[in-house]
Each structure stands twice: as C-alpha cells, then as structure tokens.
Amino acid sequence: MIKPLNDNVLLKIATVETKTASGIILNVSDKEEENIGVVIAVGDGKIVEGKRVLPTVKENDKVIFDKYAAIEFEYLNEKYLIVPETGILAVIE
Amino acid sequence: MIKPLNDNVLLKIATVETKTASGIILNVSDKEEENIGVVIAVGDGKIVEGKRVLPTVKENDKVIFDKYAAIEFEYLNEKYLIVPETGILAVIE
Amino acid sequence: MIKPLNDNVLLKIATVETKTASGIILNVSDKEEENIGVVIAVGDGKIVEGKRVLPTVKENDKVIFDKYAAIEFEYLNEKYLIVPETGILAVIE
Amino acid sequence: MIKPLNDNVLLKIATVETKTASGIILNVSDKEEENIGVVIAVGDGKIVEGKRVLPTVKENDKVIFDKYAAIEFEYLNEKYLIVPETGILAVIE
Amino acid sequence: MIKPLNDNVLLKIATVETKTASGIILNVSDKEEENIGVVIAVGDGKIVEGKRVLPTVKENDKVIFDKYAAIEFEYLNEKYLIVPETGILAVIE
Amino acid sequence: MIKPLNDNVLLKIATVETKTASGIILNVSDKEEENIGVVIAVGDGKIVEGKRVLPTVKENDKVIFDKYAAIEFEYLNEKYLIVPETGILAVIE
Amino acid sequence: MIKPLNDNVLLKIATVETKTASGIILNVSDKEEENIGVVIAVGDGKIVEGKRVLPTVKENDKVIFDKYAAIEFEYLNEKYLIVPETGILAVIE
C-alpha cells in the first residue's frame, strides 16, 4: 500500500471518456487523460497552526490536477502520480 | 459537473466576436480568443483569516484572463480552463 | 466595457510621436510604442489592510509600463493590455 | 557512516519489483526505479520554534521521493541520494 | 515631462568618458556606457509603514545601475531608462 | 588564510576512495568526487535573533554538499569551494 | 569617486597570484581571478530595524565573491564590480 505523506494525494490517471450523440458517457478509449485522475489515497494533511488539516478530496474522487505539480512513478507495473493538495484544482461530480 | 476547489475558476474559451462597420457585434468566427473566457463555475474561495472569501467573478461572466496562469484540459469532448482567481484580470460588461 | 479587477490597469498602446526641428510634437507615425500606453480604465484597487487602495493613475493618463508585466489581448478588433499597477512606472504629463 | 544533517534523508535507490500473473512480487530486475528509495539514515530533523522535529520516515522505509529535490553522490563505490524531508512524498507499506 | 511613480528613477545613459595620459577627463566618445546613467527625475518614493520614503539619489546624480533591473523606452526621439531605487547601486561623486 | 563570512563553509574537494574486495578503504584515484568535500574553515555563523549560531560542521569534517549551492574558486594554485551551511547535507563519520 | 549605496560593495578584480616551489607568493600574471576582488569602497550598510548596519568588510580587504551576484561596469577605463554584501563569501587574510 502506498501511503501519501502530509498534504500529498496519490492519483491514477483516468482513461478517456466520450459522450455519444445520444448523451451516454462511455469509456471508449485506452488513451489517458493528461489532467484528470482518480484519487487512490490521501495523506494526513498539512500542519496548520499545530493541527493536521485533512485534504478536501477523498478516495475515488475524480479530479482535475495541475500536471506540472505532479510527480510520476511506477510501482508493481502500475503508473501513479503524487500531487500536493494545492495542485488539485477541481472535482468532477 | 466540474466543481472548482478553493479560489479556482472554471472557464470556457470564448469565440471571436467582430464588430461590423455599422457597430453591431457578431460571433462571426469559430476561432477562439486566447485570453477571453466565460465563467462556467467558481470555487468556494480562498481561506483568508479562517473564512472563505468568494471569488468576485460569477457564472456567465465574460472575463480576460492570464493564459500563463491557466491549466487546460478536455472533458467529455469539451475544452476547459482552470485559472486561480488572481489570474482573472478584467470583466467584460 | 472592459472593467479591470483589483489593481489591474487597462491600457491601449500609444502611437509614436515625433518632435520636429522647431519643437512641435506630432503624431507622425502609425508605429506603436512598445512601453507607452494610455489608461482606458482602472480597477477598484488592491486590498491593503482590509481597504481598497485606488490606483494612482487614472483614465487618459499617458504612462510608461513594464511590457513584461503586461497581458495582451484583442477585443472587438482592438488591441488592449492589462498591467498590474506595480507595472506602471511613470506618468507623462 | 553517512549522517544526514537537519531534515535531510539518505536514500538508496530501490531495484525494480514486478508482480507475476499469480500475484507474487519479485525483484526480477537490476533496473533501478527512478522515484523509489529505501531510507538508509535520517537527520535530527529541522528546528521548528527552537525544537528539533524528527523526520516522519525512518530507516528501512521504502519511499516515493521527488527526484528533482534529490542530490546524487557516490561513496565507496555505492550510489546514494540525499533528499530533504519535504521531498519524501509517500511511504510504501 | 516624465514623472516616475513610487520608488522608480528615470535615467538617461551617460556617454563614455576617457581619462587622458595627463589625467584630464574627456567626453571623447558617442558610445554609451551600459551601466552608468544620469538621474533625470525621481518618484515620490516607496511607502514604508504608511510614509513615503524619498529615494536617496536626486536629479543630475551620475549613478551606476543594474541594467537587468532597468526598463528601456523611447519618448520624443530620446532614449530613457526606468530603474527601481534598489537597482541604483552607487553614485559617482 | 581564507576566512569564510557568516554561515559560509570553505571546502576542498575530496579525492575518490575505493573499497577493496577485502573491505579496506583506499585513496586509489586522483579523480575528484563531485559532492564530497573536506571542511577547511567555517564562518562565525548566521545571525539568528541577534546572536551568531555557529555552523554544525567543523574543520576536517568530511561532508556531502549540494554542488549547485557551491561557488568554486582557485587561490594560490589550489581549488576551493564555498558553500552556505544549508548546502552541507551530511557528514561522513 | 564611486560611492556604493546601502549594502553594496565596490570591488576591483585581483590579478592572479602564484606560489613558487619555495613558497613565495608572486603576482606573476596579468590574468584576472574570476572570484577574488579587492574592496575599493563600501556603502553605509543596509537598514535593519531602522538602523544602518555597516558591511563587515572594509577598504583593501581581499575577498572571495559570488560572481553571479556581481554587476560589472567600466569607468574612466577601469573595470569595477559591485556586489551586495551577501555576495561577499570570505576574506583572505
């Protein structure tokens, strides 16, 4: 298990979704989005005035992130990204 | 729905408008402006001295933004931009 | 109308002026100055200790600005610049 | 013995592990991971308000680190990395 | 008249001076020094704890400045430079 | 004598050591390590809240340093490096 | 006379010295050291909590400096450097 430290968030890149003419959303592609990830795990949060402040995103959230703030790595043949919470820009609900 | 976090603002690029000789403004082009966007959604705002301060721009505002502060991404075949509030420079009224 | 936010200043580039041998100043050129602009509009000012501090320049001022601090854009076939107040270096009186 | 100072962490790069189809994890490669290291030693920690705060990682932890924050060196024919604690992003448990 | 704002200083580049064998200083060249200027005007100074602090240099001072801190521009066929007071490094007396 | 100022540390680059198969450490090479130095002298330390805080390393310590924080120079045919204390990452004991 | 402002230090580059086999130090070269200078003049010092703090180096000191912090210029056919006090790293005694 990969456990992010502090305000770091562990992501996996999401696969590309496409909307059909009739409006249905499909995962039709193995292509990877560059800026959209799924949260795998979050750290305990940054220390602000002596207390841990938990990240506002949580496991399984689909998020937009700043790829220039992300560190990429591979572990057991899987690709991951680690992004500090400030690099998580939006949540897709 | 894409929900921006904190002081982030979600934009779509505006299409180019042109003013005719008689002064009427038309959307005559599919070209996209580089620095003009329409606000799609805003975050809850930055925390200043313990309180959330809502962004001063709101949904449907047409804004000038600093493109070097923007993160581009594509979601369901549509292009979006996320810009922190400080990168929103002016409103077109 | 383009309304700058906070401490941003909206400028148009000035055209080149030339001084004749007899000392009269003429707009003889369509060339554009790179660092000289005319103020079109100013924002409400930056918040300093909870209060808005209006920019010291005002509409129609002719100013020297730092072009590396400026964002260029085009709106309704006209070119504009937005510069934060700190990028306005001098006023031509 | 190499003793890191302050909030520095001494690492050795981990070798690549692979998961077989049956789920067993093997060190099958001499290739080196770029972002995964094993903690060899930690410093006494950074001074925060007059007191040393020990790094949260400890000897033998397997960690993800930011390679752009790392200094590489060779000592007695072995390669090492030194990373400040803020460059340690996650622990693999 | 060009009036610098805040802690900005308006300069003109000095022409090259040369010392003859007998020690007399001459303006023998139309070449321009790269780092030596003459102060044309100074701003009202930066605000420090609510009060304007006038720049320490004054009109007609010959100064050494950091050219990487300077903004060049041309006005009425004359070249000028604007440098923040921190970019004025020395005075030639 | 070269006397470093404030928190600066004067180093000489260490020569490469190699460990033989039987475990003995030898200086077998004139090659120079890139990140390992020997402390020649230390400054009086940085001023923290009005008091000098002596560097934690001392003369003859063998140290790992960040070469991007180092200034190289040559004096009386010998090469030296000056590194601020924060660029000294570890001590080899 | 060139008078440095604030915490600036005026330097001239030192010529290369060489030590002979018998240990005598000679100025045998017109080559110039890149990082070694002689202090020609110092400013009044930086203002710290309302008071001027004189630079710790003084006229005629031979110093090691960070050349990336230095501004080079030529005045009356002589080359000079200006370095803020923080760029003076060591004194040669």
Side-chain angles (χ1 to χ4, degrees), chain D residues 28-73:
Chain D
V28 296
S29 165
D30 287 335
K31 262 205 313 172
E32 291 182 337
E33 301 284 0
E34 281 206 304
N35 292 103
I36 306 184
V38 176
V39 176
I40 304 299
V42 300
D44 292 340
K46 216 189 328 217
I47 296 177
V48 177
E49 289 167 29
K51 276 190 282 194
R52 291 273 174 195
V53 178
L54 261 176
T56 52
V57 291
K58 55 183 193 308
E59 236 176 280
N60 293 320
D61 277 356
K62 194 165 188 168
V63 295
I64 313 295
F65 64 93
D66 177 359
K67 70 180 165 182
Y68 300 109
I71 304 284
E72 288 178 284
F73 67 97

mmCIF file of all heavy atoms in Angstrom, chain D residues 28-73:
data_model
loop_
_atom_site.group_PDB
_atom_site.id
_atom_site.type_symbol
_atom_site.label_atom_id
_atom_site.label_comp_id
_atom_site.label_asym_id
_atom_site.label_seq_id
_atom_site.Cartn_x
_atom_site.Cartn_y
_atom_site.Cartn_z
ATOM 1 N N VAL D 28 12.858 -8.890 -9.925
ATOM 2 C CA VAL D 28 13.339 -9.617 -11.094
ATOM 3 C C VAL D 28 14.320 -8.827 -11.932
ATOM 4 O O VAL D 28 14.802 -9.287 -12.942
ATOM 5 C CB VAL D 28 12.176 -10.044 -12.010
ATOM 6 C CG1 VAL D 28 11.289 -11.012 -11.276
ATOM 7 C CG2 VAL D 28 11.406 -8.831 -12.484
ATOM 8 N N SER D 29 14.616 -7.639 -11.499
ATOM 9 C CA SER D 29 15.368 -6.773 -12.403
ATOM 10 C C SER D 29 16.472 -6.047 -11.667
ATOM 11 O O SER D 29 16.347 -5.719 -10.484
ATOM 12 C CB SER D 29 14.409 -5.768 -13.028
ATOM 13 O OG SER D 29 15.115 -4.726 -13.617
ATOM 14 N N ASP D 30 17.553 -5.785 -12.376
ATOM 15 C CA ASP D 30 18.584 -4.932 -11.801
ATOM 16 C C ASP D 30 18.342 -3.469 -12.160
ATOM 17 O O ASP D 30 19.087 -2.598 -11.768
ATOM 18 C CB ASP D 30 19.976 -5.359 -12.294
ATOM 19 C CG ASP D 30 20.380 -6.652 -11.623
ATOM 20 O OD1 ASP D 30 19.875 -6.940 -10.526
ATOM 21 O OD2 ASP D 30 21.206 -7.371 -12.204
ATOM 22 N N LYS D 31 17.323 -3.251 -12.969
ATOM 23 C CA LYS D 31 16.982 -1.872 -13.312
ATOM 24 C C LYS D 31 16.664 -1.120 -12.023
ATOM 25 O O LYS D 31 16.186 -1.698 -11.055
ATOM 26 C CB LYS D 31 15.719 -1.832 -14.210
ATOM 27 C CG LYS D 31 16.018 -1.705 -15.687
ATOM 28 C CD LYS D 31 14.862 -1.065 -16.451
ATOM 29 C CE LYS D 31 13.506 -1.660 -16.090
ATOM 30 N NZ LYS D 31 12.395 -0.935 -16.679
ATOM 31 N N GLU D 32 16.886 0.156 -12.027
ATOM 32 C CA GLU D 32 16.596 0.927 -10.823
ATOM 33 C C GLU D 32 15.370 1.796 -11.026
ATOM 34 O O GLU D 32 15.158 2.374 -12.082
ATOM 35 C CB GLU D 32 17.798 1.806 -10.479
ATOM 36 C CG GLU D 32 18.974 0.964 -10.012
ATOM 37 C CD GLU D 32 20.161 1.799 -9.623
ATOM 38 O OE1 GLU D 32 20.246 2.936 -10.099
ATOM 39 O OE2 GLU D 32 20.996 1.313 -8.849
ATOM 40 N N GLU D 33 14.534 1.835 -10.011
ATOM 41 C CA GLU D 33 13.401 2.736 -10.009
ATOM 42 C C GLU D 33 13.938 4.154 -9.956
ATOM 43 O O GLU D 33 14.943 4.430 -9.323
ATOM 44 C CB GLU D 33 12.533 2.515 -8.763
ATOM 45 C CG GLU D 33 11.992 1.135 -8.635
ATOM 46 C CD GLU D 33 10.827 0.889 -9.584
ATOM 47 O OE1 GLU D 33 10.448 1.798 -10.334
ATOM 48 O OE2 GLU D 33 10.310 -0.233 -9.564
ATOM 49 N N GLU D 34 13.233 5.065 -10.552
ATOM 50 C CA GLU D 34 13.713 6.443 -10.549
ATOM 51 C C GLU D 34 13.240 7.236 -9.338
ATOM 52 O O GLU D 34 13.873 8.204 -8.965
ATOM 53 C CB GLU D 34 13.189 7.163 -11.805
ATOM 54 C CG GLU D 34 13.984 6.835 -13.038
ATOM 55 C CD GLU D 34 13.862 7.972 -14.032
ATOM 56 O OE1 GLU D 34 12.718 8.307 -14.370
ATOM 57 O OE2 GLU D 34 14.892 8.515 -14.438
ATOM 58 N N ASN D 35 12.112 6.836 -8.770
ATOM 59 C CA ASN D 35 11.483 7.645 -7.721
ATOM 60 C C ASN D 35 11.252 6.880 -6.427
ATOM 61 O O ASN D 35 10.572 7.361 -5.542
ATOM 62 C CB ASN D 35 10.100 8.151 -8.175
ATOM 63 C CG ASN D 35 10.148 9.143 -9.287
ATOM 64 O OD1 ASN D 35 9.876 8.801 -10.428
ATOM 65 N ND2 ASN D 35 10.511 10.365 -8.975
ATOM 66 N N ILE D 36 11.754 5.652 -6.365
ATOM 67 C CA ILE D 36 11.507 4.836 -5.179
ATOM 68 C C ILE D 36 12.841 4.533 -4.514
ATOM 69 O O ILE D 36 13.782 4.091 -5.168
ATOM 70 C CB ILE D 36 10.764 3.534 -5.549
ATOM 71 C CG1 ILE D 36 9.469 3.880 -6.330
ATOM 72 C CG2 ILE D 36 10.460 2.709 -4.314
ATOM 73 C CD1 ILE D 36 8.605 2.684 -6.676
ATOM 74 N N GLY D 37 12.924 4.811 -3.202
ATOM 75 C CA GLY D 37 14.167 4.579 -2.499
ATOM 76 C C GLY D 37 13.932 3.910 -1.158
ATOM 77 O O GLY D 37 12.803 3.826 -0.680
ATOM 78 N N VAL D 38 15.032 3.453 -0.584
ATOM 79 C CA VAL D 38 14.977 2.868 0.756
ATOM 80 C C VAL D 38 15.750 3.803 1.676
ATOM 81 O O VAL D 38 16.856 4.232 1.343
ATOM 82 C CB VAL D 38 15.612 1.456 0.751
ATOM 83 C CG1 VAL D 38 15.657 0.885 2.165
ATOM 84 C CG2 VAL D 38 14.845 0.532 -0.177
ATOM 85 N N VAL D 39 15.148 4.152 2.814
ATOM 86 C CA VAL D 39 15.801 5.075 3.750
ATOM 87 C C VAL D 39 16.969 4.377 4.438
ATOM 88 O O VAL D 39 16.811 3.311 5.029
ATOM 89 C CB VAL D 39 14.792 5.593 4.805
ATOM 90 C CG1 VAL D 39 15.501 6.472 5.835
ATOM 91 C CG2 VAL D 39 13.660 6.357 4.135
ATOM 92 N N ILE D 40 18.151 4.983 4.336
ATOM 93 C CA ILE D 40 19.359 4.439 4.973
ATOM 94 C C ILE D 40 19.594 5.129 6.318
ATOM 95 O O ILE D 40 20.002 4.505 7.288
ATOM 96 C CB ILE D 40 20.594 4.640 4.041
ATOM 97 C CG1 ILE D 40 20.347 4.007 2.661
ATOM 98 C CG2 ILE D 40 21.873 4.117 4.673
ATOM 99 C CD1 ILE D 40 20.096 2.520 2.684
ATOM 100 N N ALA D 41 19.334 6.417 6.366
ATOM 101 C CA ALA D 41 19.531 7.182 7.611
ATOM 102 C C ALA D 41 18.751 8.479 7.522
ATOM 103 O O ALA D 41 18.511 8.988 6.434
ATOM 104 C CB ALA D 41 21.009 7.484 7.819
ATOM 105 N N VAL D 42 18.352 9.018 8.686
ATOM 106 C CA VAL D 42 17.665 10.321 8.712
ATOM 107 C C VAL D 42 18.432 11.288 9.607
ATOM 108 O O VAL D 42 19.148 10.871 10.520
ATOM 109 C CB VAL D 42 16.196 10.215 9.205
ATOM 110 C CG1 VAL D 42 15.385 9.308 8.293
ATOM 111 C CG2 VAL D 42 16.133 9.723 10.640
ATOM 112 N N GLY D 43 18.279 12.573 9.349
ATOM 113 C CA GLY D 43 18.908 13.599 10.175
ATOM 114 C C GLY D 43 18.151 13.793 11.479
ATOM 115 O O GLY D 43 17.152 13.109 11.739
ATOM 116 N N ASP D 44 18.616 14.737 12.294
ATOM 117 C CA ASP D 44 17.991 15.016 13.596
ATOM 118 C C ASP D 44 16.700 15.806 13.425
ATOM 119 O O ASP D 44 15.997 16.065 14.398
ATOM 120 C CB ASP D 44 18.943 15.856 14.463
ATOM 121 C CG ASP D 44 20.171 15.083 14.875
ATOM 122 O OD1 ASP D 44 20.128 13.838 14.834
ATOM 123 O OD2 ASP D 44 21.175 15.721 15.224
ATOM 124 N N GLY D 45 16.422 16.238 12.203
ATOM 125 C CA GLY D 45 15.191 17.000 11.965
ATOM 126 C C GLY D 45 15.446 18.489 11.914
ATOM 127 O O GLY D 45 16.490 18.982 12.341
ATOM 128 N N LYS D 46 14.469 19.194 11.362
ATOM 129 C CA LYS D 46 14.521 20.642 11.228
ATOM 130 C C LYS D 46 14.219 21.268 12.590
ATOM 131 O O LYS D 46 13.550 20.665 13.421
ATOM 132 C CB LYS D 46 13.391 21.061 10.251
ATOM 133 C CG LYS D 46 13.797 22.199 9.382
ATOM 134 C CD LYS D 46 12.749 22.833 8.553
ATOM 135 C CE LYS D 46 11.601 21.996 8.033
ATOM 136 N NZ LYS D 46 11.239 22.453 6.682
ATOM 137 N N ILE D 47 14.719 22.478 12.808
ATOM 138 C CA ILE D 47 14.392 23.179 14.047
ATOM 139 C C ILE D 47 13.124 23.987 13.821
ATOM 140 O O ILE D 47 13.076 24.848 12.944
ATOM 141 C CB ILE D 47 15.560 24.097 14.481
ATOM 142 C CG1 ILE D 47 16.794 23.232 14.792
ATOM 143 C CG2 ILE D 47 15.171 24.940 15.695
ATOM 144 C CD1 ILE D 47 18.031 24.016 15.160
ATOM 145 N N VAL D 48 12.050 23.682 14.563
ATOM 146 C CA VAL D 48 10.792 24.417 14.467
ATOM 147 C C VAL D 48 10.528 25.030 15.847
ATOM 148 O O VAL D 48 10.405 24.314 16.833
ATOM 149 C CB VAL D 48 9.623 23.501 14.030
ATOM 150 C CG1 VAL D 48 8.317 24.283 14.006
ATOM 151 C CG2 VAL D 48 9.908 22.894 12.667
ATOM 152 N N GLU D 49 10.470 26.364 15.898
ATOM 153 C CA GLU D 49 10.291 27.079 17.177
ATOM 154 C C GLU D 49 11.237 26.548 18.253
ATOM 155 O O GLU D 49 10.807 26.198 19.362
ATOM 156 C CB GLU D 49 8.829 26.992 17.630
ATOM 157 C CG GLU D 49 7.930 27.844 16.745
ATOM 158 C CD GLU D 49 6.463 27.546 16.957
ATOM 159 O OE1 GLU D 49 6.095 27.141 18.073
ATOM 160 O OE2 GLU D 49 5.686 27.707 15.984
ATOM 161 N N GLY D 50 12.523 26.455 17.871
ATOM 162 C CA GLY D 50 13.554 26.109 18.855
ATOM 163 C C GLY D 50 13.724 24.628 19.159
ATOM 164 O O GLY D 50 14.624 24.245 19.888
ATOM 165 N N LYS D 51 12.853 23.779 18.591
ATOM 166 C CA LYS D 51 12.977 22.350 18.890
ATOM 167 C C LYS D 51 13.182 21.526 17.620
ATOM 168 O O LYS D 51 12.607 21.834 16.580
ATOM 169 C CB LYS D 51 11.721 21.845 19.618
ATOM 170 C CG LYS D 51 11.796 22.096 21.120
ATOM 171 C CD LYS D 51 10.689 21.400 21.880
ATOM 172 C CE LYS D 51 9.391 22.170 21.744
ATOM 173 N NZ LYS D 51 8.356 21.763 22.702
ATOM 174 N N ARG D 52 13.977 20.470 17.719
ATOM 175 C CA ARG D 52 14.176 19.550 16.612
ATOM 176 C C ARG D 52 12.906 18.730 16.393
ATOM 177 O O ARG D 52 12.356 18.177 17.353
ATOM 178 C CB ARG D 52 15.304 18.556 16.916
ATOM 179 C CG ARG D 52 16.687 19.161 16.964
ATOM 180 C CD ARG D 52 17.314 19.204 15.573
ATOM 181 N NE ARG D 52 18.584 19.920 15.614
ATOM 182 C CZ ARG D 52 19.201 20.362 14.534
ATOM 183 N NH1 ARG D 52 18.697 20.149 13.326
ATOM 184 N NH2 ARG D 52 20.318 21.011 14.619
ATOM 185 N N VAL D 53 12.428 18.667 15.148
ATOM 186 C CA VAL D 53 11.281 17.816 14.827
ATOM 187 C C VAL D 53 11.781 16.687 13.931
ATOM 188 O O VAL D 53 12.139 16.901 12.778
ATOM 189 C CB VAL D 53 10.172 18.630 14.124
ATOM 190 C CG1 VAL D 53 9.001 17.718 13.760
ATOM 191 C CG2 VAL D 53 9.701 19.771 15.011
ATOM 192 N N LEU D 54 11.837 15.485 14.484
ATOM 193 C CA LEU D 54 12.353 14.309 13.762
ATOM 194 C C LEU D 54 11.559 14.060 12.477
ATOM 195 O O LEU D 54 10.333 14.195 12.463
ATOM 196 C CB LEU D 54 12.227 13.066 14.647
ATOM 197 C CG LEU D 54 13.507 12.637 15.374
ATOM 198 C CD1 LEU D 54 13.200 11.462 16.289
ATOM 199 C CD2 LEU D 54 14.584 12.245 14.376
ATOM 200 N N PRO D 55 12.238 13.672 11.388
ATOM 201 C CA PRO D 55 11.516 13.293 10.164
ATOM 202 C C PRO D 55 10.520 12.160 10.461
ATOM 203 O O PRO D 55 10.746 11.351 11.362
ATOM 204 C CB PRO D 55 12.632 12.792 9.232
ATOM 205 C CG PRO D 55 13.868 13.497 9.698
ATOM 206 C CD PRO D 55 13.706 13.618 11.189
ATOM 207 N N THR D 56 9.411 12.135 9.700
ATOM 208 C CA THR D 56 8.401 11.094 9.954
ATOM 209 C C THR D 56 8.776 9.751 9.330
ATOM 210 O O THR D 56 8.164 8.745 9.655
ATOM 211 C CB THR D 56 7.019 11.536 9.398
ATOM 212 O OG1 THR D 56 7.191 11.917 8.043
ATOM 213 C CG2 THR D 56 6.445 12.682 10.189
ATOM 214 N N VAL D 57 9.744 9.741 8.443
ATOM 215 C CA VAL D 57 10.179 8.443 7.903
ATOM 216 C C VAL D 57 11.353 7.923 8.722
ATOM 217 O O VAL D 57 12.016 8.682 9.417
ATOM 218 C CB VAL D 57 10.574 8.557 6.398
ATOM 219 C CG1 VAL D 57 9.345 8.831 5.546
ATOM 220 C CG2 VAL D 57 11.659 9.601 6.171
ATOM 221 N N LYS D 58 11.583 6.606 8.643
ATOM 222 C CA LYS D 58 12.683 6.037 9.437
ATOM 223 C C LYS D 58 13.461 4.998 8.620
ATOM 224 O O LYS D 58 13.023 4.597 7.534
ATOM 225 C CB LYS D 58 12.141 5.450 10.737
ATOM 226 C CG LYS D 58 11.053 4.443 10.515
ATOM 227 C CD LYS D 58 10.445 3.906 11.792
ATOM 228 C CE LYS D 58 9.608 2.684 11.383
ATOM 229 N NZ LYS D 58 8.648 2.961 10.268
ATOM 230 N N GLU D 59 14.584 4.556 9.149
ATOM 231 C CA GLU D 59 15.442 3.596 8.473
ATOM 232 C C GLU D 59 14.639 2.415 7.914
ATOM 233 O O GLU D 59 13.730 1.925 8.586
ATOM 234 C CB GLU D 59 16.464 3.064 9.478
ATOM 235 C CG GLU D 59 17.905 3.262 9.032
ATOM 236 C CD GLU D 59 18.835 2.798 10.114
ATOM 237 O OE1 GLU D 59 19.033 3.574 11.081
ATOM 238 O OE2 GLU D 59 19.337 1.661 10.010
ATOM 239 N N ASN D 60 15.000 1.999 6.711
ATOM 240 C CA ASN D 60 14.377 0.850 6.034
ATOM 241 C C ASN D 60 13.008 1.122 5.420
ATOM 242 O O ASN D 60 12.477 0.273 4.713
ATOM 243 C CB ASN D 60 14.262 -0.376 6.961
ATOM 244 C CG ASN D 60 15.633 -0.928 7.304
ATOM 245 O OD1 ASN D 60 16.510 -0.986 6.430
ATOM 246 N ND2 ASN D 60 15.834 -1.291 8.543
ATOM 247 N N ASP D 61 12.428 2.301 5.674
ATOM 248 C CA ASP D 61 11.182 2.644 4.981
ATOM 249 C C ASP D 61 11.449 2.687 3.478
ATOM 250 O O ASP D 61 12.490 3.160 3.021
ATOM 251 C CB ASP D 61 10.684 4.047 5.403
ATOM 252 C CG ASP D 61 9.902 4.006 6.709
ATOM 253 O OD1 ASP D 61 9.688 2.906 7.240
ATOM 254 O OD2 ASP D 61 9.523 5.093 7.200
ATOM 255 N N LYS D 62 10.482 2.184 2.730
ATOM 256 C CA LYS D 62 10.545 2.284 1.273
ATOM 257 C C LYS D 62 9.687 3.491 0.899
ATOM 258 O O LYS D 62 8.522 3.565 1.289
ATOM 259 C CB LYS D 62 9.971 0.999 0.671
ATOM 260 C CG LYS D 62 10.264 0.820 -0.779
ATOM 261 C CD LYS D 62 9.986 -0.630 -1.159
ATOM 262 C CE LYS D 62 10.439 -0.918 -2.564
ATOM 263 N NZ LYS D 62 10.423 -2.357 -2.802
ATOM 264 N N VAL D 63 10.280 4.444 0.194
ATOM 265 C CA VAL D 63 9.581 5.718 -0.012
ATOM 266 C C VAL D 63 9.568 6.152 -1.477
ATOM 267 O O VAL D 63 10.425 5.774 -2.263
ATOM 268 C CB VAL D 63 10.240 6.850 0.823
ATOM 269 C CG1 VAL D 63 10.095 6.576 2.312
ATOM 270 C CG2 VAL D 63 11.692 7.066 0.432
ATOM 271 N N ILE D 64 8.527 6.940 -1.814
ATOM 272 C CA ILE D 64 8.475 7.643 -3.091
ATOM 273 C C ILE D 64 9.055 9.029 -2.842
ATOM 274 O O ILE D 64 8.664 9.695 -1.886
ATOM 275 C CB ILE D 64 7.014 7.829 -3.585
ATOM 276 C CG1 ILE D 64 6.204 6.535 -3.469
ATOM 277 C CG2 ILE D 64 6.975 8.404 -4.997
ATOM 278 C CD1 ILE D 64 6.660 5.418 -4.331
ATOM 279 N N PHE D 65 9.974 9.462 -3.697
ATOM 280 C CA PHE D 65 10.555 10.792 -3.489
ATOM 281 C C PHE D 65 10.542 11.586 -4.790
ATOM 282 O O PHE D 65 10.383 11.041 -5.876
ATOM 283 C CB PHE D 65 11.980 10.688 -2.923
ATOM 284 C CG PHE D 65 12.954 10.031 -3.852
ATOM 285 C CD1 PHE D 65 13.727 10.789 -4.725
ATOM 286 C CD2 PHE D 65 13.111 8.652 -3.863
ATOM 287 C CE1 PHE D 65 14.626 10.193 -5.585
ATOM 288 C CE2 PHE D 65 14.003 8.042 -4.732
ATOM 289 C CZ PHE D 65 14.759 8.814 -5.595
ATOM 290 N N ASP D 66 10.686 12.887 -4.635
ATOM 291 C CA ASP D 66 10.749 13.804 -5.772
ATOM 292 C C ASP D 66 12.198 13.863 -6.252
ATOM 293 O O ASP D 66 13.045 14.459 -5.602
ATOM 294 C CB ASP D 66 10.278 15.186 -5.303
ATOM 295 C CG ASP D 66 10.390 16.231 -6.408
ATOM 296 O OD1 ASP D 66 10.849 15.900 -7.516
ATOM 297 O OD2 ASP D 66 10.017 17.382 -6.147
ATOM 298 N N LYS D 67 12.468 13.254 -7.426
ATOM 299 C CA LYS D 67 13.885 13.171 -7.820
ATOM 300 C C LYS D 67 14.493 14.537 -8.141
ATOM 301 O O LYS D 67 15.709 14.691 -8.117
ATOM 302 C CB LYS D 67 14.080 12.184 -8.974
ATOM 303 C CG LYS D 67 13.532 12.634 -10.281
ATOM 304 C CD LYS D 67 13.777 11.580 -11.377
ATOM 305 C CE LYS D 67 12.874 11.924 -12.550
ATOM 306 N NZ LYS D 67 12.955 10.982 -13.642
ATOM 307 N N TYR D 68 13.665 15.541 -8.410
ATOM 308 C CA TYR D 68 14.227 16.870 -8.674
ATOM 309 C C TYR D 68 14.671 17.568 -7.394
ATOM 310 O O TYR D 68 15.326 18.601 -7.434
ATOM 311 C CB TYR D 68 13.229 17.735 -9.451
ATOM 312 C CG TYR D 68 12.884 17.114 -10.775
ATOM 313 C CD1 TYR D 68 11.638 16.556 -11.017
ATOM 314 C CD2 TYR D 68 13.852 17.028 -11.769
ATOM 315 C CE1 TYR D 68 11.341 15.951 -12.224
ATOM 316 C CE2 TYR D 68 13.568 16.409 -12.977
ATOM 317 C CZ TYR D 68 12.312 15.885 -13.204
ATOM 318 O OH TYR D 68 12.035 15.268 -14.400
ATOM 319 N N ALA D 69 14.289 17.004 -6.254
ATOM 320 C CA ALA D 69 14.726 17.558 -4.978
ATOM 321 C C ALA D 69 15.925 16.805 -4.425
ATOM 322 O O ALA D 69 16.450 17.142 -3.367
ATOM 323 C CB ALA D 69 13.571 17.503 -3.973
ATOM 324 N N ALA D 70 16.384 15.776 -5.155
ATOM 325 C CA ALA D 70 17.427 14.892 -4.646
ATOM 326 C C ALA D 70 18.817 15.257 -5.169
ATOM 327 O O ALA D 70 18.969 15.703 -6.296
ATOM 328 C CB ALA D 70 17.105 13.451 -5.040
ATOM 329 N N ILE D 71 19.816 15.081 -4.311
ATOM 330 C CA ILE D 71 21.231 15.244 -4.673
ATOM 331 C C ILE D 71 21.833 13.834 -4.747
ATOM 332 O O ILE D 71 21.736 13.085 -3.781
ATOM 333 C CB ILE D 71 21.973 16.051 -3.583
ATOM 334 C CG1 ILE D 71 21.299 17.392 -3.335
ATOM 335 C CG2 ILE D 71 23.455 16.167 -3.886
ATOM 336 C CD1 ILE D 71 21.547 18.436 -4.367
ATOM 337 N N GLU D 72 22.412 13.481 -5.874
ATOM 338 C CA GLU D 72 23.026 12.151 -6.023
ATOM 339 C C GLU D 72 24.518 12.194 -5.717
ATOM 340 O O GLU D 72 25.184 13.157 -6.073
ATOM 341 C CB GLU D 72 22.882 11.676 -7.473
ATOM 342 C CG GLU D 72 21.492 11.282 -7.862
ATOM 343 C CD GLU D 72 21.449 10.869 -9.323
ATOM 344 O OE1 GLU D 72 21.488 11.774 -10.182
ATOM 345 O OE2 GLU D 72 21.386 9.662 -9.592
ATOM 346 N N PHE D 73 25.043 11.170 -5.109
ATOM 347 C CA PHE D 73 26.501 11.096 -4.965
ATOM 348 C C PHE D 73 26.911 9.635 -4.835
ATOM 349 O O PHE D 73 26.084 8.746 -4.642
ATOM 350 C CB PHE D 73 26.989 11.938 -3.778
ATOM 351 C CG PHE D 73 26.551 11.413 -2.442
ATOM 352 C CD1 PHE D 73 27.393 10.619 -1.668
ATOM 353 C CD2 PHE D 73 25.301 11.717 -1.942
ATOM 354 C CE1 PHE D 73 26.981 10.141 -0.433
ATOM 355 C CE2 PHE D 73 24.882 11.244 -0.713
ATOM 356 C CZ PHE D 73 25.729 10.450 0.038
#
